[in-house]
Amino acid sequence: MTFLSIPLIYWFAGLALVLPRIPVIGKWFNIINTAIHELGHALMALALEGSVKKIELFNDASGTTTTSTKTKFGSFLVAFVGYPFSSVVSYFVFYLLTVGYEKGFLIGISILFLFMLLLWVRNIYGALWILIFCGINGYLIYLNNAHYIKIATLLYAVFIAVDAVFSALTVLFLSIKQKDKAGDATLLKKTTGIPAVIWGLLFAGIAGYIFYLIIILII
């Protein structure tokens, strides 16, 4: 597949190396993956007939989702799903790009995030971020310029995919060095008794495998 006459794999590699290192802007884009991650927790809670109390997104690209479930197994699934959900979504986004559904992706992700805002997002930064993100997408859709839409969706896709891997690796590192501060891995340890590093390895393995599938998809 090519993008502006350049193979997409080269865009992917270049953007993956440069964009996460841009001050402020890098964090702003990384929140896309954070929002997807937190949405995964929320959707799993709802699927298990639980409830979602609130979602918060922060300017350091972290986030939290407060949920309640009826069973211990339900709590386990809610805690587990965040990282795999982000990785699966990252693959789906690149699939949409390969079949030419860039505009549909912009519309879909904006609707999802507005849905999150209306129902669950309760901190000021999270609300402002969603409004700005969806406002940008709305303007691009209004312009209806195919090149602008492709550029935006490629940027989003790269950040989602790269951050899905990076965040999983970060949790793995924390599960080794700071076992009590490894986020979902620590929560899963408390729920199951299985060491946090095992969950860190599992998250990293899933993220790495799906990243590999993305590379195969776009070559």
Short mmCIF file of all heavy atoms in Angstrom, two decimals, residues 1-56:
data_model
loop_
_atom_site.label_atom_id
_atom_site.label_comp_id
_atom_site.label_asym_id
_atom_site.label_seq_id
_atom_site.Cartn_x
_atom_site.Cartn_y
_atom_site.Cartn_z
N MET A 1 0.84 -1.19 0.00
CA MET A 1 0.00 0.00 0.00
C MET A 1 0.88 1.25 0.00
O MET A 1 1.91 1.29 0.66
CB MET A 1 -0.90 0.03 1.24
CG MET A 1 -1.81 1.24 1.32
SD MET A 1 -2.76 1.23 2.86
CE MET A 1 -3.59 2.81 2.68
N THR A 2 0.48 2.27 -0.75
CA THR A 2 1.22 3.51 -0.79
C THR A 2 0.39 4.66 -0.26
O THR A 2 -0.84 4.60 -0.26
CB THR A 2 1.68 3.86 -2.22
OG1 THR A 2 0.51 3.99 -3.06
CG2 THR A 2 2.60 2.80 -2.78
N PHE A 3 1.08 5.69 0.19
CA PHE A 3 0.42 6.88 0.71
C PHE A 3 1.19 8.08 0.18
O PHE A 3 2.37 8.24 0.46
CB PHE A 3 0.42 6.88 2.24
CG PHE A 3 -0.16 8.11 2.85
CD1 PHE A 3 -1.51 8.35 2.80
CD2 PHE A 3 0.67 9.05 3.47
CE1 PHE A 3 -2.05 9.49 3.36
CE2 PHE A 3 0.13 10.18 4.02
CZ PHE A 3 -1.23 10.41 3.97
N LEU A 4 0.54 8.92 -0.65
CA LEU A 4 1.22 10.05 -1.31
C LEU A 4 2.46 9.56 -2.07
O LEU A 4 3.52 10.17 -2.03
CB LEU A 4 1.60 11.12 -0.29
CG LEU A 4 0.46 11.74 0.52
CD1 LEU A 4 1.02 12.80 1.45
CD2 LEU A 4 -0.59 12.34 -0.40
N SER A 5 2.31 8.43 -2.76
CA SER A 5 3.35 7.83 -3.60
C SER A 5 4.52 7.25 -2.82
O SER A 5 5.54 6.86 -3.39
CB SER A 5 3.89 8.85 -4.62
OG SER A 5 2.85 9.31 -5.45
N ILE A 6 4.43 7.19 -1.50
CA ILE A 6 5.47 6.60 -0.66
C ILE A 6 4.87 5.38 0.06
O ILE A 6 3.77 5.47 0.59
CB ILE A 6 5.98 7.61 0.38
CG1 ILE A 6 6.56 8.84 -0.33
CG2 ILE A 6 7.03 6.98 1.28
CD1 ILE A 6 6.96 9.95 0.62
N PRO A 7 5.58 4.24 0.06
CA PRO A 7 5.04 3.06 0.76
C PRO A 7 4.70 3.38 2.20
O PRO A 7 5.48 4.02 2.91
CB PRO A 7 6.19 2.05 0.67
CG PRO A 7 6.92 2.45 -0.57
CD PRO A 7 6.85 3.95 -0.61
N LEU A 8 3.55 2.96 2.65
CA LEU A 8 3.06 3.28 3.98
C LEU A 8 4.02 2.81 5.07
O LEU A 8 4.14 3.46 6.12
CB LEU A 8 1.68 2.64 4.19
CG LEU A 8 0.98 2.94 5.51
CD1 LEU A 8 0.79 4.44 5.69
CD2 LEU A 8 -0.36 2.22 5.59
N ILE A 9 4.75 1.72 4.82
CA ILE A 9 5.66 1.21 5.84
C ILE A 9 6.73 2.23 6.19
O ILE A 9 7.16 2.34 7.34
CB ILE A 9 6.31 -0.12 5.37
CG1 ILE A 9 7.21 -0.71 6.46
CG2 ILE A 9 7.08 0.08 4.09
CD1 ILE A 9 6.50 -1.01 7.74
N TYR A 10 7.18 3.04 5.21
CA TYR A 10 8.20 4.05 5.50
C TYR A 10 7.64 5.21 6.31
O TYR A 10 8.32 5.74 7.20
CB TYR A 10 8.81 4.55 4.19
CG TYR A 10 9.51 3.45 3.41
CD1 TYR A 10 9.22 3.23 2.07
CD2 TYR A 10 10.46 2.64 4.03
CE1 TYR A 10 9.86 2.22 1.37
CE2 TYR A 10 11.10 1.63 3.33
CZ TYR A 10 10.79 1.42 1.99
OH TYR A 10 11.41 0.41 1.30
N TRP A 11 6.43 5.61 5.99
CA TRP A 11 5.75 6.61 6.82
C TRP A 11 5.62 6.09 8.24
O TRP A 11 5.87 6.81 9.22
CB TRP A 11 4.36 6.91 6.25
CG TRP A 11 4.35 7.82 5.08
CD1 TRP A 11 4.31 7.47 3.76
CD2 TRP A 11 4.37 9.25 5.11
NE1 TRP A 11 4.31 8.60 2.96
CE2 TRP A 11 4.35 9.70 3.77
CE3 TRP A 11 4.42 10.20 6.13
CZ2 TRP A 11 4.36 11.05 3.44
CZ3 TRP A 11 4.43 11.54 5.79
CH2 TRP A 11 4.41 11.95 4.46
N PHE A 12 5.20 4.86 8.35
CA PHE A 12 4.97 4.25 9.65
C PHE A 12 6.24 4.25 10.49
O PHE A 12 6.25 4.65 11.65
CB PHE A 12 4.46 2.83 9.45
CG PHE A 12 4.08 2.12 10.72
CD1 PHE A 12 2.88 2.39 11.34
CD2 PHE A 12 4.93 1.18 11.27
CE1 PHE A 12 2.54 1.74 12.51
CE2 PHE A 12 4.57 0.51 12.44
CZ PHE A 12 3.38 0.79 13.05
N ALA A 13 7.35 3.81 9.88
CA ALA A 13 8.61 3.73 10.61
C ALA A 13 9.10 5.11 11.02
O ALA A 13 9.52 5.33 12.16
CB ALA A 13 9.66 3.04 9.74
N GLY A 14 9.03 6.07 10.10
CA GLY A 14 9.51 7.42 10.41
C GLY A 14 8.69 8.11 11.48
O GLY A 14 9.23 8.69 12.44
N LEU A 15 7.38 8.03 11.35
CA LEU A 15 6.51 8.67 12.34
C LEU A 15 6.65 8.02 13.70
O LEU A 15 6.62 8.69 14.74
CB LEU A 15 5.06 8.60 11.86
CG LEU A 15 4.71 9.49 10.66
CD1 LEU A 15 3.32 9.14 10.14
CD2 LEU A 15 4.78 10.95 11.02
N ALA A 16 6.80 6.71 13.71
CA ALA A 16 6.94 5.99 14.99
C ALA A 16 8.19 6.42 15.74
O ALA A 16 8.21 6.43 16.97
CB ALA A 16 6.97 4.49 14.74
N LEU A 17 9.24 6.79 15.00
CA LEU A 17 10.48 7.21 15.65
C LEU A 17 10.44 8.67 16.11
O LEU A 17 10.98 9.01 17.16
CB LEU A 17 11.65 7.04 14.67
CG LEU A 17 12.08 5.59 14.38
CD1 LEU A 17 13.11 5.58 13.25
CD2 LEU A 17 12.64 4.94 15.62
N VAL A 18 9.77 9.53 15.33
CA VAL A 18 9.84 10.97 15.58
C VAL A 18 8.73 11.49 16.48
O VAL A 18 8.98 12.21 17.45
CB VAL A 18 9.83 11.74 14.24
CG1 VAL A 18 9.75 13.25 14.49
CG2 VAL A 18 11.07 11.40 13.43
N LEU A 19 7.49 11.14 16.17
CA LEU A 19 6.36 11.79 16.82
C LEU A 19 6.29 11.62 18.34
O LEU A 19 6.00 12.59 19.04
CB LEU A 19 5.05 11.30 16.18
CG LEU A 19 4.84 11.79 14.75
CD1 LEU A 19 3.55 11.20 14.19
CD2 LEU A 19 4.80 13.30 14.66
N PRO A 20 6.57 10.45 18.89
CA PRO A 20 6.47 10.33 20.35
C PRO A 20 7.46 11.21 21.11
O PRO A 20 7.29 11.44 22.31
CB PRO A 20 6.78 8.84 20.59
CG PRO A 20 6.45 8.18 19.31
CD PRO A 20 6.84 9.16 18.26
N ARG A 21 8.50 11.71 20.42
CA ARG A 21 9.52 12.50 21.09
C ARG A 21 9.28 14.01 21.01
O ARG A 21 10.06 14.79 21.54
CB ARG A 21 10.88 12.17 20.48
CG ARG A 21 11.31 10.75 20.77
CD ARG A 21 12.51 10.33 19.96
NE ARG A 21 13.00 9.01 20.38
CZ ARG A 21 12.45 7.87 20.02
NH1 ARG A 21 11.39 7.87 19.24
NH2 ARG A 21 12.94 6.71 20.44
N ILE A 22 8.21 14.41 20.35
CA ILE A 22 7.89 15.83 20.26
C ILE A 22 7.26 16.28 21.58
O ILE A 22 6.25 15.73 22.01
CB ILE A 22 6.91 16.10 19.10
CG1 ILE A 22 7.54 15.69 17.77
CG2 ILE A 22 6.52 17.57 19.07
CD1 ILE A 22 6.62 15.83 16.59
N PRO A 23 7.85 17.29 22.24
CA PRO A 23 7.29 17.75 23.53
C PRO A 23 5.84 18.20 23.39
O PRO A 23 5.46 18.79 22.38
CB PRO A 23 8.20 18.93 23.89
CG PRO A 23 9.47 18.67 23.15
CD PRO A 23 9.06 18.02 21.86
N VAL A 24 5.05 17.94 24.39
CA VAL A 24 3.65 18.35 24.50
C VAL A 24 2.78 17.67 23.45
O VAL A 24 1.82 16.97 23.78
CB VAL A 24 3.47 19.89 24.39
CG1 VAL A 24 2.00 20.25 24.54
CG2 VAL A 24 4.32 20.60 25.44
N ILE A 25 3.10 17.86 22.17
CA ILE A 25 2.28 17.29 21.10
C ILE A 25 2.28 15.77 21.19
O ILE A 25 1.25 15.12 20.99
CB ILE A 25 2.79 17.75 19.72
CG1 ILE A 25 2.61 19.26 19.57
CG2 ILE A 25 2.06 17.02 18.60
CD1 ILE A 25 3.17 19.82 18.29
N GLY A 26 3.45 15.19 21.50
CA GLY A 26 3.52 13.74 21.60
C GLY A 26 2.58 13.20 22.66
O GLY A 26 1.84 12.24 22.42
N LYS A 27 2.58 13.84 23.83
CA LYS A 27 1.67 13.43 24.90
C LYS A 27 0.21 13.60 24.49
O LYS A 27 -0.64 12.78 24.81
CB LYS A 27 1.95 14.24 26.16
CG LYS A 27 3.27 13.92 26.84
CD LYS A 27 3.26 12.54 27.46
CE LYS A 27 4.54 12.28 28.24
NZ LYS A 27 4.57 10.90 28.81
N TRP A 28 -0.07 14.71 23.80
CA TRP A 28 -1.45 14.99 23.37
C TRP A 28 -1.98 13.88 22.49
O TRP A 28 -3.10 13.40 22.66
CB TRP A 28 -1.51 16.33 22.63
CG TRP A 28 -2.91 16.84 22.43
CD1 TRP A 28 -3.62 17.63 23.27
CD2 TRP A 28 -3.76 16.56 21.31
NE1 TRP A 28 -4.88 17.88 22.74
CE2 TRP A 28 -4.98 17.24 21.54
CE3 TRP A 28 -3.61 15.82 20.15
CZ2 TRP A 28 -6.05 17.19 20.65
CZ3 TRP A 28 -4.67 15.76 19.25
CH2 TRP A 28 -5.87 16.44 19.51
N PHE A 29 -1.15 13.43 21.54
CA PHE A 29 -1.58 12.34 20.66
C PHE A 29 -1.63 11.01 21.40
O PHE A 29 -2.47 10.15 21.09
CB PHE A 29 -0.64 12.23 19.45
CG PHE A 29 -0.97 13.18 18.34
CD1 PHE A 29 -0.26 14.35 18.19
CD2 PHE A 29 -1.99 12.91 17.44
CE1 PHE A 29 -0.55 15.23 17.16
CE2 PHE A 29 -2.29 13.78 16.41
CZ PHE A 29 -1.57 14.96 16.26
N ASN A 30 -0.72 10.80 22.36
CA ASN A 30 -0.72 9.55 23.10
C ASN A 30 -2.02 9.33 23.87
O ASN A 30 -2.38 8.19 24.19
CB ASN A 30 0.46 9.50 24.07
CG ASN A 30 1.79 9.29 23.39
OD1 ASN A 30 2.81 9.84 23.79
ND2 ASN A 30 1.80 8.50 22.33
N ILE A 31 -2.70 10.41 24.19
CA ILE A 31 -3.96 10.29 24.92
C ILE A 31 -5.02 9.58 24.09
O ILE A 31 -5.96 9.00 24.63
CB ILE A 31 -4.46 11.67 25.40
CG1 ILE A 31 -3.46 12.24 26.41
CG2 ILE A 31 -5.83 11.58 26.07
CD1 ILE A 31 -3.78 13.64 26.86
N ILE A 32 -4.86 9.57 22.77
CA ILE A 32 -5.80 8.81 21.93
C ILE A 32 -5.80 7.35 22.37
O ILE A 32 -6.85 6.74 22.58
CB ILE A 32 -5.43 8.92 20.45
CG1 ILE A 32 -5.41 10.37 19.99
CG2 ILE A 32 -6.42 8.10 19.59
CD1 ILE A 32 -4.86 10.56 18.58
N ASN A 33 -4.61 6.79 22.51
CA ASN A 33 -4.52 5.39 22.95
C ASN A 33 -5.00 5.22 24.38
O ASN A 33 -5.65 4.22 24.70
CB ASN A 33 -3.08 4.90 22.83
CG ASN A 33 -2.93 3.44 23.22
OD1 ASN A 33 -3.42 2.56 22.52
ND2 ASN A 33 -2.28 3.19 24.33
N THR A 34 -4.70 6.21 25.24
CA THR A 34 -5.18 6.14 26.63
C THR A 34 -6.70 6.08 26.67
O THR A 34 -7.29 5.29 27.41
CB THR A 34 -4.70 7.36 27.43
OG1 THR A 34 -3.27 7.40 27.40
CG2 THR A 34 -5.18 7.30 28.86
N ALA A 35 -7.34 6.93 25.87
CA ALA A 35 -8.81 6.95 25.84
C ALA A 35 -9.36 5.61 25.36
O ALA A 35 -10.36 5.10 25.90
CB ALA A 35 -9.30 8.08 24.94
N ILE A 36 -8.72 5.02 24.36
CA ILE A 36 -9.15 3.71 23.87
C ILE A 36 -8.97 2.65 24.94
O ILE A 36 -9.84 1.78 25.15
CB ILE A 36 -8.38 3.35 22.59
CG1 ILE A 36 -8.78 4.29 21.45
CG2 ILE A 36 -8.63 1.89 22.19
CD1 ILE A 36 -7.92 4.16 20.21
N HIS A 37 -7.84 2.70 25.62
CA HIS A 37 -7.55 1.77 26.71
C HIS A 37 -8.64 1.85 27.79
O HIS A 37 -9.19 0.81 28.21
CB HIS A 37 -6.19 2.11 27.31
CG HIS A 37 -5.80 1.31 28.50
ND1 HIS A 37 -4.86 0.31 28.45
CD2 HIS A 37 -6.22 1.35 29.80
CE1 HIS A 37 -4.73 -0.23 29.66
NE2 HIS A 37 -5.53 0.39 30.50
N GLU A 38 -8.97 3.06 28.21
CA GLU A 38 -9.98 3.23 29.25
C GLU A 38 -11.36 2.83 28.75
O GLU A 38 -12.18 2.29 29.51
CB GLU A 38 -9.99 4.67 29.75
CG GLU A 38 -8.67 5.18 30.31
CD GLU A 38 -8.09 4.30 31.41
OE1 GLU A 38 -8.88 3.64 32.12
OE2 GLU A 38 -6.86 4.28 31.57
N LEU A 39 -11.62 3.07 27.48
CA LEU A 39 -12.90 2.64 26.90
C LEU A 39 -13.02 1.13 26.94
O LEU A 39 -14.11 0.59 27.17
CB LEU A 39 -13.01 3.13 25.46
CG LEU A 39 -14.28 2.74 24.69
CD1 LEU A 39 -15.52 3.32 25.37
CD2 LEU A 39 -14.20 3.19 23.24
N GLY A 40 -11.89 0.42 26.74
CA GLY A 40 -11.91 -1.04 26.83
C GLY A 40 -12.35 -1.51 28.20
O GLY A 40 -13.18 -2.43 28.32
N HIS A 41 -11.83 -0.88 29.26
CA HIS A 41 -12.26 -1.21 30.62
C HIS A 41 -13.75 -0.97 30.79
O HIS A 41 -14.48 -1.80 31.36
CB HIS A 41 -11.51 -0.35 31.64
CG HIS A 41 -10.06 -0.67 31.80
ND1 HIS A 41 -9.59 -1.95 32.03
CD2 HIS A 41 -8.96 0.13 31.78
CE1 HIS A 41 -8.28 -1.93 32.15
NE2 HIS A 41 -7.86 -0.67 31.99
N ALA A 42 -14.21 0.17 30.31
CA ALA A 42 -15.62 0.54 30.48
C ALA A 42 -16.55 -0.42 29.74
O ALA A 42 -17.57 -0.87 30.29
CB ALA A 42 -15.84 1.97 29.98
N LEU A 43 -16.21 -0.75 28.51
CA LEU A 43 -17.08 -1.64 27.72
C LEU A 43 -17.14 -3.03 28.31
O LEU A 43 -18.20 -3.67 28.30
CB LEU A 43 -16.57 -1.70 26.27
CG LEU A 43 -16.70 -0.41 25.46
CD1 LEU A 43 -16.13 -0.61 24.06
CD2 LEU A 43 -18.16 0.04 25.38
N MET A 44 -16.01 -3.51 28.85
CA MET A 44 -16.02 -4.83 29.48
C MET A 44 -16.90 -4.82 30.72
O MET A 44 -17.66 -5.79 30.96
CB MET A 44 -14.60 -5.26 29.84
CG MET A 44 -14.52 -6.61 30.53
SD MET A 44 -15.23 -7.97 29.53
CE MET A 44 -13.91 -8.20 28.32
N ALA A 45 -16.84 -3.76 31.51
CA ALA A 45 -17.68 -3.67 32.70
C ALA A 45 -19.16 -3.71 32.30
O ALA A 45 -19.96 -4.40 32.93
CB ALA A 45 -17.38 -2.38 33.46
N LEU A 46 -19.51 -2.98 31.26
CA LEU A 46 -20.90 -2.97 30.80
C LEU A 46 -21.32 -4.32 30.25
O LEU A 46 -22.44 -4.77 30.46
CB LEU A 46 -21.09 -1.89 29.73
CG LEU A 46 -20.93 -0.44 30.19
CD1 LEU A 46 -21.10 0.51 29.01
CD2 LEU A 46 -21.92 -0.09 31.29
N ALA A 47 -20.41 -4.98 29.54
CA ALA A 47 -20.71 -6.29 28.98
C ALA A 47 -20.99 -7.32 30.07
O ALA A 47 -21.74 -8.28 29.86
CB ALA A 47 -19.56 -6.77 28.10
N LEU A 48 -20.41 -7.11 31.25
CA LEU A 48 -20.60 -8.02 32.38
C LEU A 48 -21.70 -7.55 33.32
O LEU A 48 -21.78 -8.00 34.46
CB LEU A 48 -19.28 -8.16 33.15
CG LEU A 48 -18.12 -8.76 32.34
CD1 LEU A 48 -16.82 -8.66 33.12
CD2 LEU A 48 -18.42 -10.21 31.98
N GLU A 49 -22.53 -6.63 32.83
CA GLU A 49 -23.66 -6.09 33.59
C GLU A 49 -23.19 -5.32 34.83
O GLU A 49 -23.90 -5.25 35.83
CB GLU A 49 -24.64 -7.20 33.99
CG GLU A 49 -25.24 -7.91 32.77
CD GLU A 49 -26.26 -8.97 33.18
OE1 GLU A 49 -26.32 -9.34 34.37
OE2 GLU A 49 -27.00 -9.42 32.29
N GLY A 50 -21.99 -4.77 34.74
CA GLY A 50 -21.51 -3.90 35.80
C GLY A 50 -21.84 -2.45 35.46
O GLY A 50 -22.70 -2.17 34.63
N SER A 51 -21.12 -1.53 36.06
CA SER A 51 -21.37 -0.11 35.81
C SER A 51 -20.05 0.65 35.70
O SER A 51 -19.02 0.19 36.21
CB SER A 51 -22.23 0.49 36.93
OG SER A 51 -21.54 0.44 38.17
N VAL A 52 -20.11 1.78 35.04
CA VAL A 52 -18.96 2.65 34.89
C VAL A 52 -19.27 3.95 35.62
O VAL A 52 -20.23 4.64 35.28
CB VAL A 52 -18.65 2.94 33.41
CG1 VAL A 52 -17.42 3.83 33.27
CG2 VAL A 52 -18.47 1.64 32.64
N LYS A 53 -18.48 4.28 36.61
CA LYS A 53 -18.73 5.48 37.40
C LYS A 53 -18.10 6.72 36.79
O LYS A 53 -18.73 7.77 36.71
CB LYS A 53 -18.23 5.27 38.83
CG LYS A 53 -18.97 4.14 39.55
CD LYS A 53 -18.46 3.96 40.97
CE LYS A 53 -19.21 2.83 41.67
NZ LYS A 53 -18.71 2.60 43.06
N LYS A 54 -16.84 6.61 36.34
CA LYS A 54 -16.21 7.75 35.70
C LYS A 54 -14.93 7.33 34.99
O LYS A 54 -14.33 6.29 35.29
CB LYS A 54 -15.88 8.85 36.71
CG LYS A 54 -14.83 8.47 37.74
CD LYS A 54 -14.53 9.65 38.67
CE LYS A 54 -13.49 9.27 39.72
NZ LYS A 54 -13.15 10.39 40.62
N ILE A 55 -14.54 8.15 34.01
CA ILE A 55 -13.27 8.01 33.31
C ILE A 55 -12.55 9.34 33.40
O ILE A 55 -13.16 10.40 33.24
CB ILE A 55 -13.49 7.63 31.83
CG1 ILE A 55 -14.04 6.20 31.71
CG2 ILE A 55 -12.18 7.75 31.04
CD1 ILE A 55 -14.36 5.79 30.29
N GLU A 56 -11.25 9.28 33.66
CA GLU A 56 -10.44 10.50 33.71
C GLU A 56 -9.24 10.35 32.78
O GLU A 56 -8.60 9.29 32.74
CB GLU A 56 -9.97 10.77 35.14
CG GLU A 56 -11.11 11.08 36.11
CD GLU A 56 -10.63 11.31 37.53
OE1 GLU A 56 -10.07 10.35 38.10
OE2 GLU A 56 -10.79 12.42 38.05
#
